[in-house]
Tab-separated table of all heavy atoms in Angstrom:
chain	number	residue	atom	x	y	z
A	1311	THR	N	4.125	-1.546	1.666
A	1311	THR	CA	3.744	-1.426	3.080
A	1311	THR	C	4.826	-0.845	3.986
A	1311	THR	O	4.523	-0.403	5.097
A	1311	THR	CB	3.349	-2.795	3.633
A	1311	THR	OG1	4.495	-3.679	3.572
A	1311	THR	CG2	2.199	-3.399	2.838
A	1312	GLY	N	6.073	-0.856	3.549
A	1312	GLY	CA	7.144	-0.370	4.410
A	1312	GLY	C	7.630	-1.387	5.419
A	1312	GLY	O	8.410	-1.059	6.318
A	1313	VAL	N	7.198	-2.637	5.289
A	1313	VAL	CA	7.675	-3.710	6.165
A	1313	VAL	C	9.097	-4.092	5.750
A	1313	VAL	O	9.387	-4.219	4.560
A	1313	VAL	CB	6.744	-4.938	6.085
A	1313	VAL	CG1	7.354	-6.133	6.807
A	1313	VAL	CG2	5.387	-4.603	6.688
A	1314	LYS	N	9.985	-4.269	6.717
A	1314	LYS	CA	11.375	-4.628	6.443
A	1314	LYS	C	11.551	-6.141	6.526
A	1314	LYS	O	11.117	-6.770	7.487
A	1314	LYS	CB	12.308	-3.950	7.450
A	1314	LYS	CG	12.288	-2.433	7.380
A	1314	LYS	CD	13.194	-1.845	8.443
A	1314	LYS	CE	13.164	-0.323	8.405
A	1314	LYS	NZ	14.026	0.262	9.478
A	1315	ILE	N	12.210	-6.699	5.524
A	1315	ILE	CA	12.450	-8.139	5.478
A	1315	ILE	C	13.900	-8.396	5.861
A	1315	ILE	O	14.816	-8.003	5.148
A	1315	ILE	CB	12.164	-8.716	4.078
A	1315	ILE	CG1	10.737	-8.386	3.655
A	1315	ILE	CG2	12.401	-10.221	4.072
A	1315	ILE	CD1	10.434	-8.759	2.222
A	1316	HIS	N	14.118	-9.081	6.979
A	1316	HIS	CA	15.476	-9.374	7.429
A	1316	HIS	C	16.014	-10.664	6.823
A	1316	HIS	O	17.192	-10.745	6.490
A	1316	HIS	CB	15.510	-9.476	8.955
A	1316	HIS	CG	14.980	-8.269	9.649
A	1316	HIS	ND1	15.564	-7.024	9.529
A	1316	HIS	CD2	13.912	-8.098	10.452
A	1316	HIS	CE1	14.881	-6.155	10.244
A	1316	HIS	NE2	13.868	-6.778	10.803
A	1317	ALA	N	15.168	-11.668	6.714
A	1317	ALA	CA	15.589	-12.959	6.170
A	1317	ALA	C	14.357	-13.741	5.744
A	1317	ALA	O	13.285	-13.583	6.324
A	1317	ALA	CB	16.387	-13.752	7.200
A	1318	PHE	N	14.526	-14.581	4.715
A	1318	PHE	CA	13.440	-15.465	4.298
A	1318	PHE	C	14.023	-16.695	3.634
A	1318	PHE	O	15.138	-16.682	3.105
A	1318	PHE	CB	12.474	-14.758	3.336
A	1318	PHE	CG	13.043	-14.468	1.976
A	1318	PHE	CD1	12.934	-15.390	0.937
A	1318	PHE	CD2	13.704	-13.279	1.726
A	1318	PHE	CE1	13.461	-15.125	-0.326
A	1318	PHE	CE2	14.235	-13.000	0.472
A	1318	PHE	CZ	14.115	-13.928	-0.557
A	1319	SER	N	13.276	-17.772	3.677
A	1319	SER	CA	13.638	-18.990	2.955
A	1319	SER	C	12.363	-19.707	2.562
A	1319	SER	O	11.390	-19.719	3.321
A	1319	SER	CB	14.528	-19.910	3.806
A	1319	SER	OG	13.851	-20.346	4.959
A	1320	VAL	N	12.384	-20.287	1.380
A	1320	VAL	CA	11.218	-20.990	0.852
A	1320	VAL	C	11.558	-22.463	0.710
A	1320	VAL	O	12.471	-22.835	-0.033
A	1320	VAL	CB	10.785	-20.409	-0.510
A	1320	VAL	CG1	9.563	-21.160	-1.037
A	1320	VAL	CG2	10.482	-18.917	-0.385
A	1321	MET	N	10.832	-23.305	1.424
A	1321	MET	CA	11.001	-24.746	1.381
A	1321	MET	C	9.954	-25.335	0.433
A	1321	MET	O	9.028	-24.630	0.000
A	1321	MET	CB	10.845	-25.307	2.784
A	1321	MET	CG	11.821	-24.715	3.792
A	1321	MET	SD	13.502	-25.283	3.526
A	1321	MET	CE	13.369	-26.946	4.192
A	1322	PRO	N	10.044	-26.612	0.084
A	1322	PRO	CA	9.089	-27.188	-0.865
A	1322	PRO	C	7.622	-27.055	-0.460
A	1322	PRO	O	6.747	-26.950	-1.321
A	1322	PRO	CB	9.516	-28.657	-0.935
A	1322	PRO	CG	10.983	-28.623	-0.665
A	1322	PRO	CD	11.145	-27.557	0.376
A	1323	ASN	N	7.336	-27.069	0.859
A	1323	ASN	CA	5.928	-27.000	1.264
A	1323	ASN	C	5.644	-25.931	2.325
A	1323	ASN	O	4.576	-25.935	2.941
A	1323	ASN	CB	5.438	-28.361	1.760
A	1323	ASN	CG	6.164	-28.809	3.011
A	1323	ASN	OD1	7.135	-28.202	3.450
A	1323	ASN	ND2	5.692	-29.904	3.583
A	1324	HIS	N	6.584	-25.029	2.567
A	1324	HIS	CA	6.331	-23.919	3.492
A	1324	HIS	C	7.383	-22.827	3.301
A	1324	HIS	O	8.394	-23.041	2.607
A	1324	HIS	CB	6.327	-24.399	4.955
A	1324	HIS	CG	7.653	-24.895	5.450
A	1324	HIS	ND1	8.112	-26.162	5.189
A	1324	HIS	CD2	8.607	-24.296	6.190
A	1324	HIS	CE1	9.297	-26.327	5.745
A	1324	HIS	NE2	9.628	-25.194	6.359
A	1325	ALA	N	7.141	-21.692	3.903
A	1325	ALA	CA	8.067	-20.562	3.796
A	1325	ALA	C	8.215	-19.889	5.147
A	1325	ALA	O	7.246	-19.752	5.899
A	1325	ALA	CB	7.574	-19.565	2.754
A	1326	HIS	N	9.439	-19.464	5.452
A	1326	HIS	CA	9.745	-18.747	6.686
A	1326	HIS	C	10.225	-17.339	6.349
A	1326	HIS	O	10.851	-17.125	5.303
A	1326	HIS	CB	10.865	-19.434	7.469
A	1326	HIS	CG	10.533	-20.788	7.987
A	1326	HIS	ND1	9.513	-21.026	8.880
A	1326	HIS	CD2	11.111	-22.003	7.746
A	1326	HIS	CE1	9.477	-22.321	9.178
A	1326	HIS	NE2	10.423	-22.933	8.496
A	1327	MET	N	10.003	-16.404	7.259
A	1327	MET	CA	10.610	-15.090	7.126
A	1327	MET	C	10.662	-14.392	8.480
A	1327	MET	O	9.861	-14.688	9.377
A	1327	MET	CB	9.840	-14.231	6.117
A	1327	MET	CG	8.488	-13.752	6.589
A	1327	MET	SD	7.674	-12.693	5.363
A	1327	MET	CE	7.061	-13.948	4.244
A	1328	VAL	N	11.626	-13.494	8.612
A	1328	VAL	CA	11.739	-12.614	9.770
A	1328	VAL	C	11.579	-11.194	9.258
A	1328	VAL	O	12.345	-10.759	8.390
A	1328	VAL	CB	13.094	-12.780	10.486
A	1328	VAL	CG1	13.194	-11.813	11.670
A	1328	VAL	CG2	13.283	-14.213	10.959
A	1329	VAL	N	10.577	-10.488	9.763
A	1329	VAL	CA	10.269	-9.152	9.264
A	1329	VAL	C	10.005	-8.207	10.429
A	1329	VAL	O	9.669	-8.641	11.532
A	1329	VAL	CB	9.032	-9.164	8.330
A	1329	VAL	CG1	9.248	-10.081	7.145
A	1329	VAL	CG2	7.780	-9.576	9.105
A	1330	THR	N	10.171	-6.903	10.164
A	1330	THR	CA	9.815	-5.877	11.132
A	1330	THR	C	8.768	-4.963	10.519
A	1330	THR	O	8.948	-4.476	9.392
A	1330	THR	CB	11.043	-5.047	11.553
A	1330	THR	OG1	11.969	-5.902	12.247
A	1330	THR	CG2	10.641	-3.905	12.495
A	1331	ASP	N	7.698	-4.739	11.254
A	1331	ASP	CA	6.584	-3.938	10.754
A	1331	ASP	C	6.986	-2.482	10.572
A	1331	ASP	O	8.017	-2.019	11.070
A	1331	ASP	CB	5.398	-4.037	11.720
A	1331	ASP	CG	4.056	-3.861	11.024
A	1331	ASP	OD1	4.039	-3.344	9.893
A	1331	ASP	OD2	3.033	-4.246	11.625
A	1332	HIS	N	6.149	-1.748	9.844
A	1332	HIS	CA	6.347	-0.317	9.605
A	1332	HIS	C	6.546	0.410	10.936
A	1332	HIS	O	5.961	0.034	11.949
A	1332	HIS	CB	5.125	0.240	8.865
A	1332	HIS	CG	5.315	1.623	8.349
A	1332	HIS	ND1	5.187	2.745	9.140
A	1332	HIS	CD2	5.615	2.087	7.105
A	1332	HIS	CE1	5.392	3.828	8.416
A	1332	HIS	NE2	5.665	3.455	7.176
A	1333	GLU	N	7.377	1.446	10.919
A	1333	GLU	CA	7.738	2.118	12.168
A	1333	GLU	C	6.581	2.872	12.819
A	1333	GLU	O	6.535	3.003	14.046
A	1333	GLU	CB	8.906	3.081	11.919
A	1333	GLU	CG	10.187	2.373	11.497
A	1333	GLU	CD	11.306	3.339	11.227
A	1333	GLU	OE1	11.064	4.564	11.345
A	1333	GLU	OE2	12.421	2.898	10.907
A	1334	THR	N	5.658	3.390	12.022
A	1334	THR	CA	4.575	4.204	12.592
A	1334	THR	C	3.189	3.622	12.379
A	1334	THR	O	2.240	4.050	13.031
A	1334	THR	CB	4.606	5.625	11.997
A	1334	THR	OG1	4.437	5.542	10.566
A	1334	THR	CG2	5.926	6.312	12.306
A	1335	LYS	N	3.060	2.662	11.466
A	1335	LYS	CA	1.769	2.047	11.201
A	1335	LYS	C	1.910	0.529	11.191
A	1335	LYS	O	2.899	0.005	10.682
A	1335	LYS	CB	1.205	2.509	9.849
A	1335	LYS	CG	0.981	4.009	9.735
A	1335	LYS	CD	0.463	4.358	8.357
A	1335	LYS	CE	0.244	5.859	8.209
A	1335	LYS	NZ	-0.235	6.210	6.847
A	1336	ALA	N	0.932	-0.164	11.727
A	1336	ALA	CA	0.934	-1.627	11.708
A	1336	ALA	C	0.472	-2.104	10.334
A	1336	ALA	O	-0.719	-2.117	10.038
A	1336	ALA	CB	0.024	-2.176	12.799
A	1337	ARG	N	1.432	-2.484	9.478
A	1337	ARG	CA	1.103	-2.868	8.109
A	1337	ARG	C	1.337	-4.353	7.829
A	1337	ARG	O	1.226	-4.764	6.673
A	1337	ARG	CB	1.956	-2.049	7.127
A	1337	ARG	CG	1.762	-0.549	7.191
A	1337	ARG	CD	0.357	-0.136	6.823
A	1337	ARG	NE	-0.074	-0.644	5.534
A	1337	ARG	CZ	0.212	-0.044	4.360
A	1337	ARG	NH1	0.914	1.074	4.349
A	1337	ARG	NH2	-0.229	-0.540	3.228
A	1338	LEU	N	1.671	-5.131	8.849
A	1338	LEU	CA	1.941	-6.547	8.603
A	1338	LEU	C	0.774	-7.267	7.938
A	1338	LEU	O	0.984	-8.038	6.999
A	1338	LEU	CB	2.329	-7.252	9.898
A	1338	LEU	CG	2.675	-8.739	9.719
A	1338	LEU	CD1	4.002	-8.887	8.984
A	1338	LEU	CD2	2.726	-9.464	11.068
A	1339	PRO	N	-0.493	-7.072	8.377
A	1339	PRO	CA	-1.599	-7.761	7.699
A	1339	PRO	C	-1.666	-7.431	6.204
A	1339	PRO	O	-1.926	-8.326	5.380
A	1339	PRO	CB	-2.839	-7.246	8.441
A	1339	PRO	CG	-2.329	-6.888	9.801
A	1339	PRO	CD	-0.965	-6.326	9.567
A	1340	ASP	N	-1.435	-6.153	5.841
A	1340	ASP	CA	-1.442	-5.765	4.433
A	1340	ASP	C	-0.277	-6.411	3.691
A	1340	ASP	O	-0.424	-6.875	2.549
A	1340	ASP	CB	-1.361	-4.247	4.293
A	1340	ASP	CG	-2.588	-3.548	4.847
A	1340	ASP	OD1	-3.685	-4.136	4.774
A	1340	ASP	OD2	-2.452	-2.430	5.365
A	1341	PHE	N	0.889	-6.438	4.320
A	1341	PHE	CA	2.068	-7.064	3.722
A	1341	PHE	C	1.800	-8.531	3.406
A	1341	PHE	O	2.070	-9.006	2.292
A	1341	PHE	CB	3.255	-6.927	4.681
A	1341	PHE	CG	4.455	-7.751	4.296
A	1341	PHE	CD1	5.378	-7.262	3.383
A	1341	PHE	CD2	4.657	-9.007	4.854
A	1341	PHE	CE1	6.494	-8.025	3.032
A	1341	PHE	CE2	5.758	-9.770	4.506
A	1341	PHE	CZ	6.680	-9.273	3.595
A	1342	LEU	N	1.258	-9.260	4.376
A	1342	LEU	CA	0.991	-10.686	4.176
A	1342	LEU	C	-0.100	-10.910	3.138
A	1342	LEU	O	-0.021	-11.857	2.342
A	1342	LEU	CB	0.603	-11.334	5.505
A	1342	LEU	CG	1.695	-11.372	6.573
A	1342	LEU	CD1	1.156	-11.975	7.864
A	1342	LEU	CD2	2.901	-12.163	6.082
A	1343	ARG	N	-1.112	-10.056	3.127
A	1343	ARG	CA	-2.186	-10.201	2.138
A	1343	ARG	C	-1.640	-10.031	0.722
A	1343	ARG	O	-1.955	-10.833	-0.177
A	1343	ARG	CB	-3.275	-9.158	2.402
A	1343	ARG	CG	-4.372	-9.120	1.346
A	1343	ARG	CD	-5.428	-8.090	1.688
A	1343	ARG	NE	-4.846	-6.769	1.931
A	1343	ARG	CZ	-4.487	-5.924	0.968
A	1343	ARG	NH1	-4.633	-6.273	-0.304
A	1343	ARG	NH2	-3.988	-4.742	1.270
A	1344	ILE	N	-0.815	-9.022	0.512
A	1344	ILE	CA	-0.241	-8.786	-0.815
A	1344	ILE	C	0.682	-9.932	-1.220
A	1344	ILE	O	0.589	-10.465	-2.333
A	1344	ILE	CB	0.522	-7.448	-0.825
A	1344	ILE	CG1	-0.442	-6.284	-0.603
A	1344	ILE	CG2	1.273	-7.265	-2.148
A	1344	ILE	CD1	0.247	-4.965	-0.339
A	1345	TYR	N	1.557	-10.302	-0.311
A	1345	TYR	CA	2.537	-11.360	-0.589
A	1345	TYR	C	1.854	-12.696	-0.878
A	1345	TYR	O	2.134	-13.351	-1.890
A	1345	TYR	CB	3.486	-11.464	0.608
A	1345	TYR	CG	4.181	-12.782	0.794
A	1345	TYR	CD1	5.038	-13.296	-0.170
A	1345	TYR	CD2	3.992	-13.521	1.968
A	1345	TYR	CE1	5.679	-14.504	0.021
A	1345	TYR	CE2	4.636	-14.725	2.159
A	1345	TYR	CZ	5.473	-15.205	1.194
A	1345	TYR	OH	6.112	-16.406	1.395
A	1346	HIS	N	0.942	-13.112	-0.018
A	1346	HIS	CA	0.269	-14.395	-0.218
A	1346	HIS	C	-0.590	-14.401	-1.484
A	1346	HIS	O	-0.647	-15.408	-2.205
A	1346	HIS	CB	-0.598	-14.731	1.001
A	1346	HIS	CG	0.205	-15.076	2.216
A	1346	HIS	ND1	-0.138	-14.662	3.486
A	1346	HIS	CD2	1.345	-15.803	2.360
A	1346	HIS	CE1	0.751	-15.125	4.350
A	1346	HIS	NE2	1.657	-15.810	3.690
A	1347	SER	N	-1.260	-13.295	-1.758
A	1347	SER	CA	-2.114	-13.215	-2.948
A	1347	SER	C	-1.299	-13.303	-4.227
A	1347	SER	O	-1.656	-14.026	-5.168
A	1347	SER	CB	-2.926	-11.918	-2.929
A	1347	SER	OG	-3.806	-11.876	-1.836
A	1348	LEU	N	-0.181	-12.557	-4.282
A	1348	LEU	CA	0.656	-12.575	-5.483
A	1348	LEU	C	1.232	-13.962	-5.739
A	1348	LEU	O	1.247	-14.438	-6.881
A	1348	LEU	CB	1.790	-11.554	-5.337
A	1348	LEU	CG	1.410	-10.086	-5.442
A	1348	LEU	CD1	2.611	-9.201	-5.144
A	1348	LEU	CD2	0.857	-9.773	-6.832
A	1349	VAL	N	1.700	-14.614	-4.679
A	1349	VAL	CA	2.260	-15.960	-4.846
A	1349	VAL	C	1.184	-16.935	-5.326
A	1349	VAL	O	1.414	-17.729	-6.255
A	1349	VAL	CB	2.868	-16.453	-3.518
A	1349	VAL	CG1	3.231	-17.936	-3.610
A	1349	VAL	CG2	4.105	-15.641	-3.159
A	1350	ALA	N	0.014	-16.872	-4.733
A	1350	ALA	CA	-1.064	-17.793	-5.116
A	1350	ALA	C	-1.491	-17.583	-6.563
A	1350	ALA	O	-1.670	-18.551	-7.319
A	1350	ALA	CB	-2.255	-17.613	-4.178
A	1351	LEU	N	-1.651	-16.329	-6.964
A	1351	LEU	CA	-2.076	-16.044	-8.334
A	1351	LEU	C	-1.022	-16.479	-9.344
A	1351	LEU	O	-1.337	-17.080	-10.376
A	1351	LEU	CB	-2.360	-14.547	-8.484
A	1351	LEU	CG	-3.607	-14.023	-7.775
A	1351	LEU	CD1	-3.650	-12.495	-7.832
A	1351	LEU	CD2	-4.868	-14.609	-8.409
A	1352	ALA	N	0.240	-16.172	-9.049
A	1352	ALA	CA	1.308	-16.515	-9.991
A	1352	ALA	C	1.505	-18.020	-10.109
A	1352	ALA	O	1.633	-18.558	-11.216
A	1352	ALA	CB	2.607	-15.843	-9.552
A	1353	LEU	N	1.511	-18.709	-8.974
A	1353	LEU	CA	1.705	-20.157	-9.043
A	1353	LEU	C	0.522	-20.856	-9.691
A	1353	LEU	O	0.682	-21.892	-10.343
A	1353	LEU	CB	1.939	-20.720	-7.637
A	1353	LEU	CG	3.242	-20.307	-6.946
A	1353	LEU	CD1	3.472	-21.151	-5.707
A	1353	LEU	CD2	4.432	-20.432	-7.888
A	1354	GLY	N	-0.673	-20.290	-9.526
A	1354	GLY	CA	-1.833	-20.858	-10.199
A	1354	GLY	C	-1.671	-20.844	-11.703
A	1354	GLY	O	-2.067	-21.785	-12.403
A	1355	ARG	N	-1.063	-19.777	-12.214
A	1355	ARG	CA	-0.851	-19.676	-13.663
A	1355	ARG	C	0.323	-20.532	-14.120
A	1355	ARG	O	0.285	-21.138	-15.195
A	1355	ARG	CB	-0.603	-18.220	-14.040
A	1355	ARG	CG	-1.779	-17.299	-13.777
A	1355	ARG	CD	-1.571	-15.926	-14.373
A	1355	ARG	NE	-1.448	-15.982	-15.821
A	1355	ARG	CZ	-1.312	-14.921	-16.606
A	1355	ARG	NH1	-1.282	-13.701	-16.057
A	1355	ARG	NH2	-1.209	-15.044	-17.902
A	1356	ILE	N	1.381	-20.579	-13.307
A	1356	ILE	CA	2.577	-21.333	-13.699
A	1356	ILE	C	2.329	-22.837	-13.638
A	1356	ILE	O	2.661	-23.576	-14.576
A	1356	ILE	CB	3.764	-20.963	-12.785
A	1356	ILE	CG1	4.174	-19.513	-13.016
A	1356	ILE	CG2	4.943	-21.891	-13.026
A	1356	ILE	CD1	5.234	-19.025	-12.045
C-alpha cells in the first residue's frame, strides 16, 4: 500500500501503531485490511 510505519508495539490483547498514509492515495483502509487479515489467518493456524 505504500503506508509508512513509524512505530508499533504489540501487547497481549491489543496493538498500537503510528503510520502515515500514502502520499498521493488514501491507502490506510487497504493497509489495515491486509494487516488484520494476515494476522487473523496466521494466528488461527498457530
Side-chain angles (χ1 to χ4, degrees):
T1311 63
V1313 171
K1314 297 178 181 178
I1315 304 172
H1316 305 297
F1318 70 90
S1319 63
V1320 180
M1321 302 288 284
N1323 64 352
H1324 66 279
H1326 295 299
M1327 72 178 79
V1328 178
V1329 301
T1330 295
D1331 209 342
H1332 191 280
E1333 296 179 359
T1334 60
K1335 300 178 181 179
R1337 299 297 306 276
L1338 182 71
D1340 295 328
F1341 169 85
L1342 294 177
R1343 174 179 53 80
I1344 295 169
Y1345 156 61
H1346 290 140
S1347 297
L1348 287 175
V1349 170
L1351 289 171
L1353 293 192
R1355 296 189 62 177
I1356 293 174

